[in-house]
Amino acid sequence: MRKNYFTKLVRYMKNVYHIENGLNKLTDGRIKPTYDTGMVVTLVLMGFLIRIKSFNELNLMIKNN
């Protein structure tokens, strides 16, 4: 896999599907949320794209650089 494949994939999603417009419109029922719903969904989607199986695995990846 090429080094900048992920960057090209994200750029493609933005240009073709305008995914950030849809993610910015997402809402939920939380009162005074710390993080926007769109931001949370974006991070989960990115984790799915790079095949992170759980938040625990993500935590380990962050600790191990």
Side-chain angles (χ1 to χ4, degrees):
M1 200 179 302
R2 284 180 266 147
K3 189 175 184 178
N4 59 357
Y5 175 77
F6 186 70
T7 305
K8 286 183 179 183
L9 177 63
V10 171
R11 190 177 309 130
Y12 176 81
M13 288 170 44
K14 285 182 177 182
N15 292 337
V16 174
Y17 297 109
H18 307 289
I19 196 159
E20 58 190 6
N21 293 339
L23 292 175
N24 289 335
K25 293 178 183 177
L26 290 175
T27 59
D28 60 4
R30 295 179 292 162
I31 300 171
K32 295 184 183 179
T34 305
Y35 301 102
D36 293 334
T37 306
M39 187 185 311
V40 174
V41 172
T42 302
L43 291 172
V44 172
L45 177 62
M46 294 302 152
F48 174 75
L49 290 174
I50 58 175
R51 297 181 180 177
I52 296 175
K53 296 175 185 160
S54 67
F55 288 114
N56 290 331
E57 183 179 344
L58 175 62
N59 192 24
L60 289 173
M61 290 174 73
I62 292 171
K63 287 181 181 178
N64 295 329
N65 293 327

